[in-house]
Amino acid sequence: MEFKNEPIRDFSLEKERSAIRSALDSIPKSLPFKIPISIGTKEKYSEKRIYHKNPWNPELLVTEVSLSNANDLEEAIQISKKNWRHWKEQPQEVRSHLLMKVAENLISKKDLIISVCIWETGKHITEAELEFAEAVDFCRYYAMTALEKLSPKKTILLGEDNLYYYQPKGIVGCISPWNFPMAIYTGMCVGPLVVGNIVLSKPAEETTATAYEIAKCFWEVGVPKEVFHFLPGLGSEIGEAIVNHPEVSVINFTGSRDVGLSILRSASVVLPKQSLIKKVICELGGKNAMIVDADSDLDVAIQSILTSAFGFQGQKCSALSRLFVHENCYQKLKERLVDAMEGLLVGTPLDFSNRIGPVIHKESFLRLSQIQKENESFLVGKTSWVPDEGFYIAPSLYEPPSESSMWSSEIFGPLLAMQKISSFSEGIQLVNDSDYALTCGVVSRNPKHVLDAKSKIDAGNLYINRGMTGAIVNRHPFGGGKLSGTGAKAGGPDYLYLFVEGKTFTENTMRQGFSRDTIQ
């Protein structure tokens, strides 16, 4: 079977808009979503809960989330140990078939899941559609990759039979982020599940309802609840408990640099009763740059900058944050970019004509507002109108000095720093002058410069003459180096190897006679 990416709907068509509009409009009557803990076949609600409010209408409560704790984790692990053998000994064809059915179940609930995501995050409808397709792609791609890449390999010689095969590593803790609650949550869980592991899923506090709707799509088609648990809660509580449990063999984490490095430190300590070395998979963000060359097509450059820096309000680990523009086109591009930013429509994602929505919550709003205030003297231009109500941050362009933290710290918002360069080689040097190496964009019509970029830029994903966000499964395996992560390439052919270990059987077949039992 050939893998094909899930198609994207065209929301310029009225029939597509009306379908999703109906689902979006139905959500408020179901609010707040009350999210349980799911351990094996048991679901329960805890007394201790957290709450998430709608980002464009902060008076509206979207989710009421039960908080799991260390006792819940221990119960999930004991249930998993009793049921793991049956799951891991299923033929790969059976597990892959189940995950293909998950993809179809997701598609059957597409409008509901996308609508829940929008009400939790404030994501634009097109961004949400793209993300949902990625979630479906992860299910299909990993199911097919497991069959293709992880089949046992035999080597038969005269007098010797050899078998190399893969077995699952055991219990995998999946701690996922809020900014891609459909795609990343799904991909982080599908990978270990399809090769026979136990998954303890800990979704982000802000997007638990989206993750819960997706988890139900797994259980409904037959993925056993005894091997796929749902443990919502705080990272500082249940997340930390998962990381430190001696029987959790793999930590699969996407999130902030500080938390990721803390996980790596914790996992390096072998605790009492621990008989394994934990594997840690981290994707930790970026400080991503784009170079606009002297001969660039400025139409391509402007469109690439707008989508890369301000799509989903800059709340992507891949988002453009540092812009280096050749002096020959610097002033012209800056003027056009400021004009284009003024034309960005900011407001609720329920109005499909808007392109920029709110940031995720009050904490992000206050943090980004403070950065704007501190860098006000370096402001070049910004979108002048934003709604008064809601957590809206105006897309903004700055020319900060070289010592500014805007050049080094991950911002995670629609704030872009811009600098003039005298040569393409200077641009490459500035791009690489970072602790991160996740994504990078290059806009150039010079073949030599494009070749230099490919060979010299430190980035896990390099995008040329296009936007630098929106990695597509199979086509753009995603992940970076340096402090951007441990190098896992999600959506690529090697990802599943992170959740298995190889085992070798070698047998001497030159027997000297037979045992008595075989000839009776």
Side-chain angles (χ1 to χ4, degrees), residues 255-459:
S256 74
R257 166 175 161 174
D258 289 345
V259 173
L261 295 179
S262 175
I263 289 173
L264 284 162
R265 286 191 293 270
S266 297
S268 69
V269 178
V270 177
L271 300 170
K273 300 182 180 180
Q274 181 175 326
S275 60
L276 51 85
I277 297 174
K278 293 177 184 280
K279 177 186 281 289
V280 179
I281 304 159
C282 283
E283 197 280 282
L284 305 181
K287 189 65 181 173
N288 311 296
M290 179 182 288
I291 302 173
V292 179
D293 204 359
D295 64 353
S296 297
D297 182 329
L298 294 190
D299 290 336
V300 172
I302 294 294
Q303 186 58 42
S304 299
I305 293 165
L306 291 175
T307 58
S308 301
F310 307 127
F312 191 38
Q313 298 73 264
Q315 299 173 119
K316 303 178 184 180
C317 57
S318 57
L320 170 61
S321 185
R322 300 180 295 147
L323 178 61
F324 302 114
V325 182
H326 196 281
E327 60 188 6
N328 288 2
C329 61
Y330 186 87
Q331 190 61 33
K332 187 173 183 181
L333 182 134
K334 181 170 70 171
E335 292 171 359
R336 289 188 57 182
L337 180 56
V338 170
D339 288 344
M341 290 169 60
E342 182 60 36
L344 293 173
L345 297 179
V346 181
T348 167
L350 298 181
D351 181 347
F352 296 166
S353 65
N354 291 326
R355 287 295 177 266
I356 308 297
V359 295
I360 186 68
H361 46 40
K362 184 177 181 179
E363 292 79 3
S364 287
F365 174 78
L366 294 175
R367 177 181 59 81
L368 292 165
S369 296
Q370 182 62 30
I371 295 173
Q372 286 183 313
K373 183 177 179 180
E374 292 171 354
N375 291 277
E376 192 172 7
S377 60
F378 311 126
L379 182 67
V380 173
K382 67 177 183 178
T383 307
S384 59
W385 187 87
V386 298
D388 294 327
E389 182 184 9
F391 302 131
Y392 294 97
I393 295 291
S396 304
L397 180 65
Y398 299 86
E399 291 178 315
S402 58
E403 65 272 15
S404 170
S405 62
M406 289 195 78
W407 292 111
S408 56
S409 298
E410 188 175 24
I411 292 174
F412 229 64
L415 311 180
L416 177 62
M418 183 179 189
Q419 180 178 329
K420 185 184 298 183
I421 57 175
S422 59
S423 67
F424 192 79
S425 60
E426 181 189 4
I428 292 178
Q429 183 179 357
L430 290 168
V431 166
N432 291 340
D433 184 19
S434 173
D435 293 338
Y436 298 96
L438 187 53
T439 68
C440 179
V442 169
V443 184
S444 177
R445 289 190 281 204
N446 186 317
K448 181 181 182 303
H449 288 174
V450 170
L451 285 174
D452 284 345
K454 291 177 180 179
S455 63
K456 297 177 181 178
I457 286 178
D458 292 333

Side-chain angles (χ1 to χ4, degrees), residues 5 28 48 50 116 154 198 246 283 299 307 459 507 509 516:
N5 295 107
K48 190 176 180 182
I50 55 173
V116 173
K154 293 182 179 180
I198 303 296
E283 197 280 282
D299 290 336
T307 58
E507 179 183 359
T509 57
R516 182 171 300 179

Side-chain angles (χ1 to χ4, degrees), residues 451-469:
L451 285 174
D452 284 345
K454 291 177 180 179
S455 63
K456 297 177 181 178
I457 286 178
D458 292 333
N461 288 62
L462 175 63
Y463 298 96
I464 299 166
N465 292 321
R466 51 150 289 167
M468 50 185 275
T469 62

Side-chain angles (χ1 to χ4, degrees), residues 208-227:
T208 312
T210 304
Y212 184 61
E213 291 299 328
I214 290 171
K216 288 192 291 185
C217 289
F218 283 72
W219 299 324
E220 287 166 356
V221 299
V223 175
K225 298 187 78 171
E226 295 86 353
V227 301

